[in-house]
């Protein structure tokens, strides 16, 4: 059997271990320390726009704290992109709030501004103005930043930018992770850079960062004894994993280039296969191409191809199943136009890691070619 080819696996640079070793050597083995500060600084320097970064245990915890910082409480409504990974939506439930799902448009596969406007109007008419909007740059492709901002501003609703899959992507030259009233990043094992597990909250003000760090370290008031006037969380990043993050920051740009070149490679290789189409990068958009996704002409072609790849020990995965189709969210209100359902039916993510070799890429291509020759 050929060795397994993964969708997106961790890719270390070799620089990580020196930061981790330094943490051990200096006994900074705690959820604070020089690597945590250093990683936050590296991210701030990379993102620019005067961003303030709080390194946290995960992207999910960053989303949870975002909702708390925006005062989302029991009974509130929060709008969320339906086409996303469940971690975007779960923290809404942690807060006892109700998710309201909004469908995608076809140019970026992210939240549709028209559906967003319809949803907000309808929620207000039904008695509640949504407290926040969670918009996602899925697979690294930026959402329609200007259009979504315009709708959100019109109703004065803050946007939480879920940039978990899009570190290194840009919209009109500006980095994803700097567009939200609050933004989040993820460094889980499959992301563009990884700390094994980790995340960050990015905010445009020092105050929000300070509040996030306070809540993430058990909300300890300033007193010689343990004193709490707020409920706290244990959400801070460890100084050990932050060392991995510092090493990964030295190769972020090369990871982006490699993922983009994987995408170009597939696009070229499948030029002659009429059943396969790719998501274009619109003018002004720069995607990190975290995952290369293809659309097939039907569900049966997509599922047939997935199984054919599996037989060759190649991992692929259908595009994320929309939240409005998930059993846990079946009773949540949703505003739909059919786009995310169709993408789920016909879409497939291909192996996209920055550590893929030419041999592995060619194995994927020949498995795809063989499948279509047999069709
Ligand atoms: C990975 C991911 C998250 C969650 O990040 P974790 O660090 O795994 O908690 C949130 N949103 C999206 C879109 C993701 O892909």
């Amino acid at each position: 059997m050929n060795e397994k080819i993964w969708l997106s696996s961790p890719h270390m640079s070799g620089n990580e271990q020196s930061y981790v070793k330094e943490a051990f050597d200096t006994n900074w083995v705690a959820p604070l320390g020089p690597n945590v500060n250093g990683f936050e600084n590296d991210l701030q320097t990379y993102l620019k726009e005067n961003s303030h970064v709080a390194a946290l245990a995960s992207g999910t915890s960053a989303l949870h704290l975002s909702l708390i910082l925006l005062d989302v409480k029991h009974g509130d409504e929060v709008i969320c992109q339906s086409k996303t990974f469940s971690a975007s939506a779960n923290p809404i439930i942690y807060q006892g709030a109700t998710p309201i799902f909004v469908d995608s448009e076809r140019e970026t596969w992210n939240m549709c501004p028209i559906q967003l406007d319809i949803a907000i109007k309808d929620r207000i008419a039904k008695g509640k103005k949504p407290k926040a909007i969670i918009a996602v740059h899925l697979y690294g492709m930026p959402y329609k930043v200007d259009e979504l901002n315009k709708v959100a501003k019109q109703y004065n609703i803050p946007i939480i930018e879920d940039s978990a899959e899009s570190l290194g992507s840009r919209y009109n030259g500006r980095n994803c992770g700097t567009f939200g009233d609050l933004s989040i990043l993820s460094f889980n094992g499959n992301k563009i850079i990884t700390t094994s597990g980790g995340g960050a909250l990015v905010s445009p003000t020092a105050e929000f960062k300070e509040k996030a760090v306070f809540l993430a370290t058990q909300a300890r008031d300033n007193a010689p004894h343990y004193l709490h006037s707020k409920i706290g969380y244990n959400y801070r990043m460890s100084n050990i994993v932050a060392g991995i993050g510092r090493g990964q920051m030295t190769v972020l740009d090369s990871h982006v280039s490699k993922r983009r070149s994987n995408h170009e490679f597939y696009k070229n290789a499948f030029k002659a296969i009429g059943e396969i189409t790719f998501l274009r990068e619109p003018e002004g958009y720069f995607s990190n191409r975290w995952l290369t996704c293809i659309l097939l002409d039907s569900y049966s072609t997509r599922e047939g191809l997935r199984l054919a790849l599996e037989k060759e020990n190649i991992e692929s995965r259908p595009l994320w199943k929309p939240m409005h189709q998930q059993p846990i969210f079946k009773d949540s209100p949703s505003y739909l136009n059919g786009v995310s359902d169709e993408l789920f039916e016909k879409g497939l993510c291909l192996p996209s890691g920055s550590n893929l070799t030419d041999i592995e890429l060619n194995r994927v291509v020949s498995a795809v070619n063989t499948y279509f020759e047999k069709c």
Side-chain angles (χ1 to χ4, degrees):
M1 190 70 168
N2 272 322
E3 243 180 82
K4 175 114 181 172
I5 300 179
W6 300 96
L7 206 60
S8 179
S9 70
H11 182 194
M12 294 298 111
S13 68
N15 304 325
E16 290 79 11
Q17 286 186 8
S18 65
Y19 292 107
V20 172
K21 181 172 187 302
E22 191 180 309
F24 275 79
D25 291 347
T26 54
N27 206 30
W28 277 106
V29 186
L32 80 166
N35 281 338
V36 175
N37 300 336
F39 186 38
E40 288 177 343
N41 282 331
D42 291 348
L43 285 163
Q44 285 168 184
T45 306
Y46 186 89
L47 292 171
K48 306 191 190 79
E49 315 301 335
N50 199 22
S51 48
H52 300 266
V53 173
L56 300 172
S58 63
T60 309
S61 57
L63 281 160
H64 190 195
L65 289 184
S66 303
L67 294 172
I68 295 167
L69 291 171
L70 296 174
D71 202 32
V72 171
K73 293 199 282 280
H74 188 89
D76 285 338
E77 293 188 349
V78 175
I79 289 182
C80 182
Q81 186 164 317
S82 186
K83 187 146 195 74
T84 187
F85 180 60
S86 66
S88 304
N90 286 339
I92 302 169
I93 306 290
Y94 303 167
Q95 281 308 94
T98 304
I100 310 290
F101 293 112
V102 169
D103 216 322
S104 292
E105 32 77 10
R106 287 184 191 281
E107 287 83 54
T108 76
W109 298 354
N110 295 310
M111 191 183 280
C112 172
I114 298 163
Q115 290 298 320
L116 174 63
D117 190 61
I118 292 170
I120 297 172
K121 278 204 181 84
D122 191 54
R123 298 326 295 172
I124 293 174
K126 289 191 161 75
K128 263 183 202 167
K129 183 172 124 174
K131 263 294 191 51
I133 298 162
I134 300 175
V136 187
H137 310 293
L138 209 65
Y139 310 119
M141 182 63 80
Y143 58 70
K144 293 189 170 181
V145 174
D146 290 339
E147 285 92 330
L148 291 190
N149 281 350
K150 193 171 156 214
V151 177
K153 278 234 167 61
Q154 195 184 329
Y155 298 96
N156 199 20
I157 303 172
I159 292 188
I160 298 171
E161 179 195 16
D162 183 341
S163 205
E165 301 180 1
S166 62
L167 181 59
S169 298
R170 298 193 288 272
Y171 174 82
N172 286 337
R174 177 168 165 165
N175 284 302
C176 288
T178 66
F179 290 111
D181 291 273
L182 287 168
S183 306
I184 75 99
L185 303 171
S186 167
F187 313 112
N188 209 327
N190 59 350
K191 298 294 178 4
I192 191 123
I193 62 166
T194 181
T195 59
S196 69
L201 187 126
V202 187
S203 86
T205 68
E207 272 153 273
F208 263 144
K209 172 182 170 171
E210 209 173 289
K211 276 189 194 161
V213 171
F214 171 76
L215 292 171
T217 50
Q218 306 289 20
R220 280 175 286 185
D221 292 337
N222 193 6
H225 48 279
Y226 283 137
L227 179 68
H228 307 276
S229 50
K230 275 205 163 80
I231 292 290
Y233 301 84
N234 184 4
Y235 279 174
R236 197 70 163 124
M237 179 178 278
S238 140
N239 193 58
I240 303 296
V241 302
I244 306 175
R246 290 181 85 180
Q248 288 274 282
M249 283 306 285
T250 64
V251 289
L252 171 55
D253 282 331
S254 72
H255 283 198
V256 173
S257 309
K258 173 64 165 114
R259 291 204 186 230
R260 285 176 62 85
S261 91
N262 290 341
H263 184 89
E264 288 306 312
F265 178 82
Y266 285 132
K267 220 160 74 178
N268 258 318
F270 303 145
K271 256 196 316 237
I273 304 176
E275 292 91 337
I276 297 180
T277 54
F278 290 82
L279 181 63
R280 266 191 59 242
E281 218 168 32
E283 180 80 32
Y285 288 68
F286 179 90
S287 168
N288 67 10
R289 297 292 191 187
W290 173 57
L291 294 184
T292 287
C293 308
I294 55 174
L295 287 184
L296 289 311
D297 59 342
S298 68
Y299 168 79
S300 66
T301 311
R302 187 269 267 165
E303 199 44 20
L305 177 59
R306 190 185 70 78
L307 293 170
L309 291 169
E310 193 171 86
K311 245 189 221 137
E312 296 299 320
N313 212 15
I314 296 168
E315 186 184 27
S316 67
R317 185 171 294 141
L319 298 196
W320 302 176
K321 181 172 176 134
M323 291 306 111
H324 70 266
Q325 282 198 42
Q326 297 288 353
I328 37 165
F329 294 126
K330 68 178 178 352
D331 298 326
S332 304
S334 39
Y335 294 82
L336 307 175
N337 57 13
V339 173
S340 63
D341 286 342
E342 190 190 333
L343 292 172
F344 174 56
E345 212 175 274
K346 299 182 180 168
L348 194 67
C349 307
L350 296 178
S352 302
S354 48
N355 50 1
L356 286 176
T357 63
D358 288 353
I359 293 172
E360 289 173 318
L361 284 167
N362 282 312
R363 255 182 66 201
V364 178
V365 167
S366 73
V368 172
N369 284 336
T370 306
Y371 172 72
F372 281 102
E373 278 156 21
K374 280 188 187 148
C375 273

